[in-house]
Amino acid sequence: MAFQCQRDSYVQEFVTTVVSCSPCELSLERASGKKEKVKGFEVILKDTVLFPEGGGQPDDRGTLGGVPVLRVTRRGAEAVHFVASAVEVGSSIQLKVDWDRRFDHMQQHSGQHLITALADSTFGYKTTSWELGRQYSTIELNTAMVKAGEVEALENAVNDKIRAAVPITIELLFLDDPAVQQVRSRGLPDDHSGPIRIVNIEGMDSNMCCGTHVSNLSHLQLIKILGTEKGKKNKTNLIFMAGNRILKYVEKSYNRERSLTDLLTSGVDDHVEAVEKLQNAVKGLRKSNLNLLRDMAVLIAQNFKSDPNRGNLFCLHRCVKDGDAEFMNIIAKEIGTEDTILFLTVGEERGAGLFLLAGPVDVVDRLGPRVAELLEGKGAGKKGRFQGKTSCMGRRAGVKALLQEHSQNLRL
């Protein structure tokens, strides 16, 4: 497998020939994180500058004849491009790469090779896997912990190599070439065929890799190791970013600092202390609010009990800010449920919320599931209480009518 994007990762436009185009359906992840099935076409080209996912690197984006390419995958020795509209088989067509995405991937991937090589040669920490994330990337090292000072030393070492402008070259070797034995590798795909692609960082590292890379370490600009965290099975995750991501991160951080300075009316160095003071104040207000809610619940219950004309059905709805599950349970406890049916709700007027049905055990056991059904919610209960959640508070009137009928039977 050696596409044009692998022979020269800096090519941004390319004219090729359409080999096949067939209808298909693909599950795509939207910006919201939800997956959606989309109908379109799978297009195979004679060659491509759009990289299909592989080697821990996500696939490229771009256009095919002006039509957005939504996904690129590898199928054997071919790259499959997913587009929304059909293209003519046999025609010449122009490909354009989303260069910002491509160059970002090149910087992160080459940065991973550099960190992996120096972590191994300097500290003996070998890379077992890595992930190129949307915000930062992660390298999994085969060590339970990275010692104090090693992260800083590693970061200094990789940036020294970037400043030294060390070249990165690509070569193709066949599996029976003795030089392959000297190459770092985590294995080949089961369907691999043909020559093996080797990425060389001059004088430092040779690694089997199908991804797109910069041609010189100076193109990485800078690498920042953000820190480490505990990984799986006595391993450590090293978190980093490279190149333009760092510039964007610094700009975003600066703008956030300016906004926080205005909101907190304090200098940058005092932001943490200011937020801690606000959190403590909020905790105090929440505690006071909870105490008020408890007192309110007791007063509501006492007011009902002191009414000489009260019936044996009590219904009450409160908005979210004026009640919670504890609020409802306090009312039920204060009123008592031996001879009274209580239907209490907390939430939006017609949307989501919590409900509590309390009363004689036999009544609640019989009506609890029915109340949940009427509210199109779910719940469970025991010992005379049935609690649950609903997204249809607007159906409370139907529940009240049901309970009024049964409260009359209870009186008899």
Side-chain angles (χ1 to χ4, degrees):
M1 182 177 70
F3 303 119
Q4 179 61 37
C5 58
Q6 295 168 312
R7 295 192 295 273
D8 185 350
S9 297
Y10 288 82
V11 174
Q12 299 180 40
E13 297 185 17
F14 185 68
V15 176
T16 187
T17 304
V18 178
V19 174
S20 67
C21 177
S22 56
C24 71
E25 188 175 81
L26 189 69
S27 179
L28 294 177
E29 184 176 332
R30 297 303 186 187
S32 62
K34 292 184 178 180
K35 289 190 175 181
E36 177 185 351
K37 286 189 176 181
V38 178
K39 292 184 178 181
F41 297 85
E42 288 184 344
V43 178
I44 296 176
L45 306 170
K46 185 177 181 181
D47 200 352
T48 185
V49 285
L50 297 184
F51 175 73
E53 58 189 357
Q57 179 178 324
D59 56 332
D60 280 340
R61 294 290 183 270
T63 58
L64 176 63
V67 177
V69 177
L70 304 177
R71 187 80 185 273
V72 190
T73 58
R74 186 178 68 84
R75 186 180 298 159
E78 296 176 322
V80 181
H81 307 72
F82 184 83
V83 293
S85 55
V87 293
E88 184 181 353
V89 175
S91 64
S92 294
I93 200 161
Q94 186 179 46
L95 280 166
K96 289 186 178 181
V97 179
D98 178 341
W99 179 246
D100 286 343
R101 177 183 171 94
R102 156 68 71 75
F103 190 58
D104 171 61
H105 290 174
M106 290 165 63
Q107 288 186 317
Q108 309 317 310
H109 202 161
S110 296
Q112 176 265 314
H113 278 226
L114 176 58
I115 295 171
T116 288
L118 289 177
D120 187 6
S121 63
T122 307
F123 304 111
Y125 299 151
K126 296 188 181 300
T127 293
T128 51
S129 68
W130 89 291
E131 179 186 8
L132 199 166
R134 292 180 179 178
Q135 296 182 357
Y136 52 79
S137 299
T138 304
I139 298 173
E140 184 184 71
L141 301 174
N142 69 338
T143 178
M145 63 173 290
V146 175
K147 298 175 185 177
E150 290 180 340
V151 169
E152 183 179 358
L154 181 58
E155 181 177 279
N156 289 336
V158 298
N159 284 303
D160 283 344
K161 295 297 183 182
I162 291 171
R163 286 187 287 271
V166 178
I168 295 179
T169 57
I170 306 295
E171 64 176 323
L172 299 177
L173 298 177
F174 286 93
L175 198 57
D176 57 357
D177 191 317
V180 172
Q181 304 305 316
Q182 308 301 317
V183 173
R184 183 166 53 85
S185 172
R186 294 199 301 273
L188 291 168
D190 293 336
D191 59 352
H192 176 82
S193 61
I196 300 168
R197 186 168 178 265
I198 310 298
V199 177
N200 297 304
I201 303 178
E202 187 177 281
M204 292 177 54
D205 185 56
S206 293
N207 182 26
M208 291 184 191
C209 184
C210 63
T212 56
H213 290 272
V214 298
S215 60
N216 192 289
L217 289 184
S218 64
H219 296 184
L220 298 182
Q221 299 167 280
L222 179 70
I223 285 178
K224 177 61 185 174
I225 299 178
L226 299 171
T228 61
E229 62 184 18
K230 185 177 180 181
K232 300 177 182 177
K233 298 179 180 179
N234 293 320
K235 294 178 181 178
T236 297
N237 295 329
L238 183 146
I239 304 162
F240 78 97
M241 58 175 59
N244 290 335
R245 284 196 183 192
I246 299 174
L247 300 179
K248 293 177 181 178
Y249 183 81
V250 170
E251 180 182 11
K252 187 176 180 180
S253 297
Y254 175 70
N255 290 333
R256 185 186 296 117
E257 284 184 350
R258 290 185 62 183
S259 297
L260 286 172
T261 296
D262 291 339
L263 290 170
L264 299 172
T265 62
S266 65
V268 172
D269 294 336
D270 299 322
H271 283 176
V272 173
E273 182 181 352
V275 170
E276 287 176 346
K277 288 181 179 179
L278 283 174
Q279 288 179 327
N280 290 332
V282 169
K283 286 179 182 178
L285 290 171
R286 284 178 177 171
K287 186 175 181 179
S288 298
N289 186 51
L290 286 174
N291 290 333
L292 288 172
L293 281 177
R294 293 187 185 103
D295 293 342
M296 185 187 298
V298 172
L299 288 172
I300 289 171
Q302 290 176 347
N303 185 56
F304 174 76
K305 290 172 68 176
S306 64
D307 184 357
N309 299 316
R310 74 175 188 273
N312 56 2
L313 173 63
F314 179 75
C315 298
L316 178 72
H317 175 74
R318 291 281 182 178
C319 64
V320 177
K321 67 178 181 178
D322 292 332
D324 57 13
E326 184 181 6
F327 174 80
M328 294 189 295
N329 278 295
I330 290 173
I331 292 177
K333 180 180 178 181
E334 291 292 325
I335 291 178
T337 58
E338 293 182 1
D339 57 0
T340 305
I341 299 174
L342 296 94
F343 175 55
L344 310 173
T345 54
V346 171
E348 301 172 11
E349 185 62 31
R350 305 189 65 82
L354 307 174
F355 68 88
L356 168 65
L357 176 68
V361 174
D362 60 327
V363 175
V364 173
D365 287 347
R366 187 170 68 254
L367 296 182
R370 178 61 179 147
V371 169
E373 181 182 353
L374 286 171
L375 293 173
E376 297 183 6
K378 293 182 179 180
K382 60 181 179 180
K383 297 181 180 180
R385 295 197 183 190
F386 190 98
Q387 302 181 75
K389 295 180 179 180
T390 176
S391 58
C392 298
M393 277 295 179
R395 298 175 65 97
R396 297 193 311 276
V399 175
K400 188 174 181 180
L402 172 70
L403 297 179
Q404 283 175 335
E405 178 184 346
H406 282 271
S407 68
Q408 292 171 0
N409 294 334
L410 183 64
R411 249 195 317 269
L412 298 174

